[in-house]
Amino acid sequence: MKPFALREWSLALCLGVYYLLPLVRWNRGLGAPDQAVLIDFPNQRFYFFFIELWPQEFYYFTGLLILAAFTLFLMNALGGRIWCGYLCPQTVWTDLFYAVERWTEGDRRARIKADAGPLTANRLARRALKHAIWLMIAWWTGGAWVLYFSDAPALVKDLATLHAPAIAYIWIGILTVSTYLLAGHAREQVCLYMCPWPRIQAALTDEWALNVTYKYDRGEPRCSMKKGRDLRALGEKIGECIDCNQCVAVCPTGIDIRNGAQLGCIQCGLCIDACDTVMGKIGRPTRLIGYDNDLNGNRRIAGQKEVFKPIRARTVVYAALIGMVCAVMLYALLTRSLLDLNVLHDRNPVAVKLSAGAIRNGYTLRFLNKRGFDRVIAVDVDGPANAQIHIAGVDSVTPDRPMIVLARDATTELRVLVTAPFGETMEKTQPVKFRITDIGLGEVASATDHFVTP
């Protein structure tokens, strides 16, 4: 497949996922949001299909960032700047804006010819149409983004009827302007001057990585078709490059790939397609420019066979790290508890001595019920001998072992008093362990603090 066709498929896939994903539904049960991907700030939840993450589980996002970094490293070790050329949002939206420009004003040659002529009404109308479509795309880009933070169908209706929150319109405006400027005007200048990845990528690449490469062993020395025929007639060795400069003309950053690897090359592959087209027209083998590593040029000159090593120490290490991170995250996700408990000891007073001589400590217990239904839990304490536990404001049918109802998908805070009876021998401070048990499911969670004497 030609790089340009591959970029078109990549563009369609990336844009399709971005624009349509907020509209995908996912049934989570009664009372739960049915949007497949939702960042629910008011309720402090992140939903991704069957996964529901709480703020306390932010470490999963850290794992995703680590996974993304190793994946980017692996992509670079295998195929250079694949991310930049095919998957980067800047590339995707810039290609979309380019497509609109070609549709409204013609290809590059037609635009250059039109710019050299007078500004006609037809040309002005085409340019106005181009910018109008650009603004529509930019506006919907911002609109699609805010749909990830609220119920999409409801928010679309509110936006259309001007009843949406002001923050939604603000963010749509910000993203509309930034998309229009970056994809429509800055374009590849973002890659050259704003993006740090080209600098990082240059330090990570090695001689085995496949990059868009001019095969100098085939192309040099270059010369025009006419001059090449004359020199060949004299028995001189002439390369296959006819110095047509089409590779330079189609390059979005304006570099000459024949000068070797450069920071400005985003490896979009347009020079490959342009060169293949020219080679096909003059009856010469294609892929004078193609994906190749730094070693094969010298090997071909020496008459040796080309060598490609996608499996090597660097790629194996990256793949192993990716697998390890995935395994750790998957294990943590599958074994995570949907019942959690946190405890905070009172600071003032730390302990109270009652009139009868008993010692009482106060705690704030925070219960997390991550399931989609209410459940009954029993609260136990392991600490001072014969200690009694009392939950303030809760009447339980079993005072020695208080039972409470936790609301579904919610956090509950209660004040708990632990009293050690008079006459028990206690240290100045000793550990106390709170344990909660789901009566129906048997799930257990615990948290530890200290019991202090005055």
Side-chain angles (χ1 to χ4, degrees):
M1 180 181 291
K2 291 185 176 181
F4 182 76
L6 184 59
R7 280 162 63 90
E8 287 185 322
W9 281 104
S10 175
L11 181 147
L13 176 62
C14 293
L15 291 176
V17 170
Y18 176 77
Y19 287 121
L20 299 179
L21 191 57
L23 303 177
V24 178
R25 303 292 97 184
W26 187 268
N27 184 16
R28 298 187 178 88
L30 185 63
D34 65 348
Q35 187 162 313
V37 180
L38 177 64
I39 304 172
D40 189 357
F41 276 136
N43 296 311
Q44 299 183 351
R45 302 286 187 278
F46 172 71
Y47 299 96
F48 186 82
F49 292 92
F50 63 92
I51 300 173
E52 177 184 349
L53 298 181
W54 288 50
Q56 294 85 349
E57 298 170 318
F58 192 79
Y59 48 83
Y60 285 107
F61 295 98
T62 303
L64 286 176
L65 291 176
I66 296 173
L67 184 62
F70 286 138
T71 302
L72 203 58
F73 297 162
L74 178 60
M75 292 170 65
N76 174 69
L78 291 173
R81 292 169 67 177
I82 299 175
W83 169 260
C84 300
Y86 298 94
L87 298 172
C88 175
Q90 176 65 22
T91 298
V92 170
W93 264 268
T94 298
D95 282 354
L96 179 60
F97 277 47
Y98 272 137
V100 172
E101 189 171 56
R102 288 193 298 270
W103 180 71
T104 54
E105 296 187 301
D107 60 14
R108 181 176 180 271
R109 184 173 301 175
R111 295 196 301 272
I112 293 176
K113 182 178 179 181
D115 289 340
L119 182 62
T120 63
N122 179 62
R123 181 181 163 201
L124 187 61
R126 287 177 175 272
R127 181 165 295 184
L129 177 61
K130 177 187 74 173
H131 286 280
I133 297 175
W134 280 2
L135 285 171
M136 288 176 59
I137 294 172
W139 175 82
W140 187 240
T141 299
W145 176 253
V146 300
L147 296 184
Y148 284 92
F149 296 85
S150 184
D151 182 64
L155 184 56
V156 168
K157 180 181 178 181
D158 290 342
L159 289 170
T161 57
L162 303 180
H163 288 93
I167 190 67
Y169 294 106
I170 292 173
W171 274 108
I172 290 175
I174 292 173
L175 290 172
T176 298
V177 173
S178 60
T179 303
Y180 175 74
L181 292 177
L182 294 179
H185 296 278
R187 298 183 175 181
E188 287 79 12
Q189 303 306 309
V190 174
C191 309
L192 290 174
Y193 302 110
M194 297 174 64
C195 180
W197 175 236
R199 284 82 180 168
I200 301 173
Q201 183 264 351
L204 291 173
T205 193
D206 62 6
E207 67 274 15
W208 292 105
L210 294 177
N211 291 284
V212 175
T213 304
Y214 168 66
K215 299 176 182 178
Y216 56 88
D217 55 291
R218 280 181 51 190
E220 299 295 327
R222 69 185 84 148
C223 64
S224 64
M225 287 280 293
K226 181 179 179 180
K227 185 178 180 181
R229 284 193 297 265
D230 296 339
L231 292 176
R232 284 192 180 90
L234 297 175
E236 295 190 25
K237 182 181 181 302
I238 301 300
E240 295 180 358
C241 178
I242 63 173
D243 207 18
C244 64
N245 283 325
Q246 285 301 301
C247 55
V248 181
V250 299
C251 179
T253 58
I255 67 167
D256 189 343
I257 192 63
R258 296 171 297 181
N259 294 333
Q262 299 162 67
L263 183 67
C265 179
I266 62 172
Q267 299 199 12
C268 60
L270 294 180
C271 54
I272 298 177
D273 290 343
C275 187
D276 284 354
T277 300
V278 173
M279 291 292 106
K281 289 180 178 179
I282 64 176
R284 295 182 182 178
T286 59
R287 294 302 156 103
L288 178 59
I289 300 176
Y291 281 94
D292 199 5
N293 60 47
D294 291 343
L295 299 178
N296 282 334
N298 293 329
R299 293 183 65 86
R300 286 190 293 266
I301 291 175
Q304 299 175 334
K305 184 180 179 181
E306 294 181 340
V307 177
F308 300 97
K309 289 180 63 176
I311 301 176
R312 55 190 190 275
R314 182 187 295 251
T315 59
V316 169
V317 169
Y318 289 152
L321 290 172
I322 291 172
M324 183 178 68
V325 173
C326 288
V328 170
M329 291 181 62
L330 183 61
Y331 175 79
L333 189 62
L334 294 177
T335 60
R336 67 175 182 156
S337 174
L338 298 180
L339 179 67
D340 201 1
L341 174 66
N342 292 300
V343 59
L344 179 65
H345 198 290
D346 286 355
R347 292 181 176 271
N348 187 24
V350 177
V352 175
K353 186 172 184 179
L354 305 180
S355 58
I359 307 298
R360 174 178 292 172
N361 281 201
Y363 305 86
T364 299
L365 267 59
R366 177 176 293 176
F367 307 88
L368 283 79
N369 178 14
K370 300 177 184 178
R371 292 195 178 274
F373 50 82
D374 297 350
R375 50 180 170 177
V376 179
I377 65 163
V379 183
D380 299 290
V381 61
D382 298 325
N386 300 317
Q388 297 180 344
I389 182 172
H390 173 71
I391 301 178
V394 175
D395 295 327
S396 175
V397 294
T398 54
D400 295 336
R401 194 190 190 201
M403 295 187 183
I404 60 174
V405 177
L406 295 184
R408 64 179 181 85
D409 198 30
T411 300
T412 304
E413 281 192 5
L414 294 173
R415 178 168 169 76
V416 175
L417 302 175
V418 176
T419 305
F422 174 72
E424 296 292 342
T425 302
M426 291 182 294
E427 300 178 3
K428 184 67 177 176
T429 179
Q430 62 184 96
V432 59
K433 182 178 182 180
F434 295 91
R435 185 176 64 258
I436 57 176
T437 306
D438 186 313
I439 299 301
L441 300 177
E443 290 184 62
V444 178
S446 62
T448 303
D449 206 287
H450 289 87
F451 189 90
V452 181
T453 58

